[in-house]
Amino acid sequence: MHFSALTWLFLFLLFHVSHSDPRISEAALFCGTNITKTSNYVPTFVREMENLSQVITTTHFATYHVNLSTTNNHTRNSSSSSSIYALTQCHHDLSQTDCLLCYAAARTTVPRCLPSLSARIFLDGCFLRYDSYKFYKEYVSPALDNVTCSKENVSFANYENENEFLTSVGYAVGNVTRRAVRTGSGGFGTAEVEGVYALAQCWESVGQDGCRRCLEKAGKGVRGCGLKREGRSLNTGCYLRYSNKKFFNDDGPDEDSHVSGLGITIAISLATAAFIMVFLFAAYASYTRIKKMKEERNNLAQFAIPMKNSCLSFKYESLEKATDYFSASKKLGQGGAGSVYVGTLPNGKSVAVKRLIFNTRQWVDEFFNEVNLISKIQHKNLVKLLGCSIEGPESLLVYEYVPNKSLDQFLFENNKTKLLNWEKRLKIIIGIAEGLAYLHGGSEKRIIHRDIKSSNILLDEDFTPKIADFGLARNFAADKSHLSTGVAGTLGYMAPEYLVRGQLTEKADVYSFGVLVLEIVCGRRNNLYSQDHISPLQTVWTLYRLNNLMEAVDSSLKEEFHVEEANKVLQIGLLCTQAEVALRPSMAQVVWMLTSKNCEIPIPHQPPFMSTNVTKPEGSTRSHNTNSFIANAARKMELSYTSTESSSMPSSDGHSKSGELIRK
């Protein structure tokens, strides 16, 4: 089966088998500090998760372990330190289908802790833990137990005073604890007292006494949240949560899962299959690249015939003269796709000429995209393609000339940063948003850019932004929910679902836009994969949680900016970079939020690729820093594929940039 078909089937089964809520929001991820040096640990870990998937198919609780040295012999009673032990527990108000969906989400997220020997992930509907020892009967731990409280205080519109809310929390927590303990092993209970909702779930392995002790500690923990609208106790043997909004199901699990048992098994199995197929697809792509290079050369020859008589066609000789025969003095920049020159046509009009050399299929693809996809699209925030020439020794693309060159030069070069005051930065952000909104739904074609970044944003004489370089853009049919495609773009700007699974939607552009917004406001490059530098995304998220966003604003602005506007723009940037695709706004919504004076900005959730210890305030339990592992993985990916700068058009700064990832 083709990789894209596998991915589609997996996503369909995973996200459409139930109409209810599997509660896959991440409450916390804790990574252990001990790192494995065993070479076969990762494949053994994958086997462990796969075996656990089979057990959890028909129940809400499962344990399993595999031996590192003999991965084909799974003895349940072994306690060897060379084993991987795993436990998963779904909350009992979830249907079996939602339980499977929640476990699949946990299983997808917990590998962020690798190569750590242990990890625990709490989602709001389930729990997953793996470790190097048999921990199943542990119910409390001074080192591991944790309490999280929401940042927002409860609104007292429904309460006479603070004491009434605190009393309701106390009663709800007490009631839910008693109900859970009474149910015995795997204790579960829900309660509602005067608008306060609570849920308690113990792991089946801790027994009734362990459940009671765990929930007693958990209850004391969440009561310490005071007037916060939500609190969670994330203990070794149980989970307890209260909220002023209802979050659990009344009727318990609904066993009508809306899909056959075979379909459920396929959905869970494909989680592993899709992971493995990513690597197989890379090999397949290499094979097809060689095969199709010949086809693309033939296509180019056929394409030349109608282009000779097209209004988009320029004579090679005229463009050669316009650029003074591609003189070095006319050169605007150099990129992986070719060189860019400024030229003057016989009528006196200035143009930018991009000089391409077709030596791989990638550049053929870019040429076809530039000409066929955007030649008829016009918007004040998009660079206009004027035409092309394919008759000479190399192919040329002709664009309108944008005199102020690219945004990255103004953001990151000290002698130009001072030219970007707050008003210009806000104008640039709004303009980029309007351009993307037009691409996504304002024109006859629905287009995803795929490479939004500061070097692909050009500025005219009035600092009006223009989105450039559509070589990687894709036409997106109106009846499609997503495209399954090779990954292309720049590391640090690519959305997680696109980088990992090749799942392309408009929300991939939204994510890139969010990263760019944070760069513009902070005045710093997003350098997510560097081990010695905290990215703007990490910085802004941390300061947001500390309610100190203004500290993230570029110091070169010298406090000459509108505080409320800056706060709103940074929060919108975080909304766009949320890990969960469905939570990101559309670009049309972003434009409305940026331009509306009285709109309420939603609360953002945690971005992806985020180390737990930079997102928690001081005093909370710290987890192992996973950034170095992610950085290593990113570098390996970058070395495995073609690393290039696909965009210097039409006004690159001339510098070679790293981090470009192209997979076709």
Side-chain angles (χ1 to χ4, degrees):
M1 183 181 292
H2 193 277
F3 173 74
S4 61
L6 269 176
T7 306
W8 181 89
L9 178 59
F10 166 66
L11 292 171
F12 176 81
L13 288 170
L14 191 61
F15 294 107
H16 295 279
V17 293
S18 174
H19 298 294
S20 53
D21 180 13
R23 298 205 298 272
I24 61 174
S25 297
E26 183 179 317
L29 172 65
F30 303 103
C31 304
T33 56
N34 292 328
I35 305 300
T36 181
K37 297 182 180 179
T38 306
S39 60
N40 67 333
Y41 188 87
V42 172
T44 306
F45 171 85
V46 173
R47 181 184 294 274
E48 170 76 339
M49 293 297 107
E50 183 178 350
N51 289 333
L52 200 62
S53 298
Q54 301 304 316
V55 182
I56 198 69
T57 301
T58 57
T59 181
H60 275 47
F61 171 79
T63 61
Y64 211 95
H65 86 273
V66 293
N67 189 285
L68 284 172
S69 58
T70 56
T71 56
N72 290 325
N73 298 322
H74 311 308
T75 56
R76 289 276 190 162
N77 298 321
S78 171
S79 59
S80 170
S81 61
S82 61
S83 296
I84 302 177
Y85 293 83
L87 177 152
T88 187
Q89 171 82 58
C90 293
H91 299 172
H92 280 303
D93 64 321
L94 294 187
S95 69
Q96 189 61 42
T97 297
D98 284 343
C99 175
L100 292 174
L101 295 177
C102 192
Y103 168 74
R107 174 185 172 184
T108 302
T109 306
V110 80
R112 282 165 30 193
C113 288
L114 292 173
S116 174
L117 283 167
S118 62
R120 299 176 301 135
I121 182 169
F122 291 85
L123 302 186
D124 280 336
C126 61
F127 169 80
L128 173 63
R129 176 183 178 182
Y130 74 86
D131 217 315
S132 58
Y133 69 97
K134 196 171 184 178
F135 58 85
Y136 302 150
K137 294 188 179 299
E138 291 181 357
Y139 50 85
V140 292
S141 169
L144 300 180
D145 295 346
N146 195 270
V147 176
T148 63
C149 307
S150 64
K151 186 173 66 174
E152 306 84 6
N153 285 341
V154 70
S155 170
F156 290 103
N158 299 322
Y159 303 96
E160 293 183 0
N161 51 52
E162 298 177 357
N163 288 333
E164 183 180 356
F165 175 73
L166 295 175
T167 300
S168 298
V169 170
Y171 278 124
V173 169
N175 289 349
V176 80
T177 298
R178 287 189 292 273
R179 292 177 185 177
V181 172
R182 280 200 302 268
T183 60
S185 180
F188 171 80
T190 60
E192 188 272 327
V193 177
E194 298 295 336
V196 175
Y197 301 87
L199 176 148
Q201 176 70 66
C202 295
W203 319 151
E204 290 188 16
S205 56
V206 302
Q208 189 172 27
D209 185 59
C211 179
R212 177 180 57 79
R213 295 187 183 186
C214 185
L215 290 179
E216 285 176 354
K217 181 179 180 181
K220 292 178 182 178
V222 295
R223 288 185 182 95
C225 289
L227 300 177
K228 301 302 181 182
R229 66 177 185 83
E230 283 198 346
R232 294 174 176 85
S233 278
L234 313 174
N235 285 3
T236 308
C238 65
Y239 170 95
L240 191 150
R241 176 186 178 187
Y242 81 83
S243 175
N244 67 329
K245 293 183 179 180
K246 187 175 181 181
F247 58 89
F248 50 79
N249 299 323
D250 278 329
D251 301 325
D254 178 8
E255 297 305 327
D256 181 11
S257 60
H258 303 284
V259 71
S260 68
L262 177 61
I264 295 173
T265 302
I266 293 174
I268 298 302
S269 299
L270 281 179
T272 301
F275 176 77
I276 297 172
M277 287 298 289
V278 169
F279 299 98
L280 296 179
F281 178 69
Y284 172 78
S286 300
Y287 168 76
T288 55
R289 180 186 298 125
I290 297 173
K291 181 180 178 181
K292 291 187 178 181
M293 279 179 62
K294 294 181 180 179
E295 297 176 4
E296 294 297 348
R297 292 193 186 101
N298 294 334
N299 290 339
L300 186 59
Q302 297 171 4
F303 183 68
I305 298 174
M307 279 301 299
K308 288 182 179 179
N309 300 320
S310 170
C311 62
L312 294 174
S313 179
F314 282 79
K315 290 185 177 181
Y316 181 85
E317 294 79 7
S318 64
L319 294 177
E320 194 176 32
K321 292 178 182 179
T323 58
D324 196 13
Y325 298 91
F326 302 109
S327 167
S329 63
K330 298 287 187 177
K331 191 173 183 178
L332 297 173
Q334 174 72 45
S339 305
V340 183
Y341 298 82
V342 61
T344 305
L345 298 178
N347 62 4
K349 182 177 181 178
S350 293
V351 294
V353 181
K354 188 175 183 179
R355 193 181 188 187
L356 299 172
I357 299 177
F358 293 120
N359 55 1
T360 69
R361 178 195 168 201
Q362 173 193 330
W363 308 136
V364 177
D365 284 344
E366 289 200 10
F367 184 86
F368 281 118
N369 264 327
E370 296 275 353
V371 177
N372 294 332
L373 193 58
I374 67 163
S375 59
K376 297 181 180 180
I377 294 178
Q378 295 188 28
H379 187 274
K380 65 182 179 69
N381 296 118
L382 304 178
V383 169
K384 185 177 181 181
L385 176 67
L386 302 177
C388 64
S389 170
I390 56 176
E391 297 176 341
E394 63 265 327
S395 295
L396 307 175
L397 293 170
V398 185
Y399 305 88
E400 64 172 313
Y401 175 64
V402 184
N404 265 339
K405 300 189 177 181
S406 57
L407 173 61
D408 60 331
Q409 297 182 56
F410 286 89
L411 283 177
F412 310 127
E413 292 185 8
N414 292 333
N415 60 331
K416 292 185 178 181
T417 302
K418 60 184 179 181
L419 298 176
L420 286 184
N421 58 25
W422 173 251
E423 287 73 20
K424 289 177 181 175
R425 296 190 195 211
L426 184 59
K427 175 184 178 181
I428 290 168
I429 290 171
I430 294 174
I432 299 169
E434 291 176 340
L436 282 174
Y438 177 80
L439 287 176
H440 292 176
S443 65
E444 294 181 0
K445 297 180 179 180
R446 185 182 172 201
I447 296 173
I448 304 175
H449 187 279
R450 286 210 298 173
D451 201 20
I452 295 297
K453 57 183 177 180
S454 56
S455 61
N456 283 344
I457 306 299
L458 309 182
L459 302 174
D460 69 8
E461 59 275 9
D462 297 321
F463 287 88
T464 297
K466 293 180 179 289
I467 300 171
D469 200 332
F470 290 80
L472 301 181
R474 287 292 178 268
N475 191 14
F476 198 41
D479 60 345
K480 297 286 187 181
S481 62
H482 70 276
L483 296 176
S484 295
T485 179
V487 177
T490 306
L491 290 172
Y493 296 85
M494 285 189 283
E497 75 281 355
Y498 179 46
L499 176 62
V500 175
R501 301 193 297 271
Q503 179 185 346
L504 181 64
T505 69
E506 295 102 327
K507 296 299 182 72
D509 278 351
V510 175
Y511 181 90
S512 303
F513 172 78
V515 174
L516 180 57
V517 166
L518 301 184
E519 284 188 330
I520 294 172
V521 178
C522 299
R524 293 169 44 209
R525 288 189 188 276
N526 184 59
N527 199 10
L528 180 64
Y529 300 99
S530 173
Q531 297 186 46
D532 55 358
H533 179 74
I534 298 177
S535 71
L537 181 55
Q538 291 172 304
T539 299
V540 174
W541 174 249
T542 302
L543 292 173
Y544 172 76
R545 294 200 63 187
L546 296 174
N547 198 26
N548 192 20
L549 268 181
M550 290 306 95
E551 191 175 319
V553 178
D554 190 350
S555 59
S556 68
L557 293 175
K558 298 178 181 179
E559 299 184 358
E560 296 177 359
F561 59 89
H562 195 285
V563 173
E564 291 184 2
E565 283 183 344
N567 185 79
K568 180 172 76 170
V569 170
L570 286 170
Q571 194 167 336
I572 291 172
L574 289 176
L575 284 175
C576 294
T577 53
Q578 294 175 108
E580 192 170 341
V581 180
L583 294 179
R584 293 178 213 149
S586 67
M587 287 310 306
Q589 291 171 322
V590 170
V591 171
W592 180 78
M593 287 189 286
L594 286 169
T595 56
S596 177
K597 297 296 183 182
N598 300 314
C599 70
E600 183 177 349
I601 308 299
I603 297 172
H605 291 70
Q606 180 169 316
F609 310 130
M610 196 64 64
S611 173
T612 306
N613 66 354
V614 300
T615 62
K616 295 232 177 248
E618 290 295 330
S620 63
T621 300
R622 302 289 183 123
S623 71
H624 175 64
N625 191 332
T626 60
N627 273 358
S628 60
F629 181 68
I630 296 170
N632 291 335
R635 280 193 292 275
K636 289 178 181 177
M637 291 177 66
E638 191 173 351
L639 292 173
S640 300
Y641 305 102
T642 303
S643 180
T644 179
E645 170 60 28
S646 71
S647 62
S648 298
M649 185 293 300
S651 53
S652 170
D653 59 4
H655 295 294
S656 174
K657 297 182 178 65
S658 63
E660 192 77 16
L661 177 66
I662 303 293
R663 280 199 296 167
K664 296 282 186 179

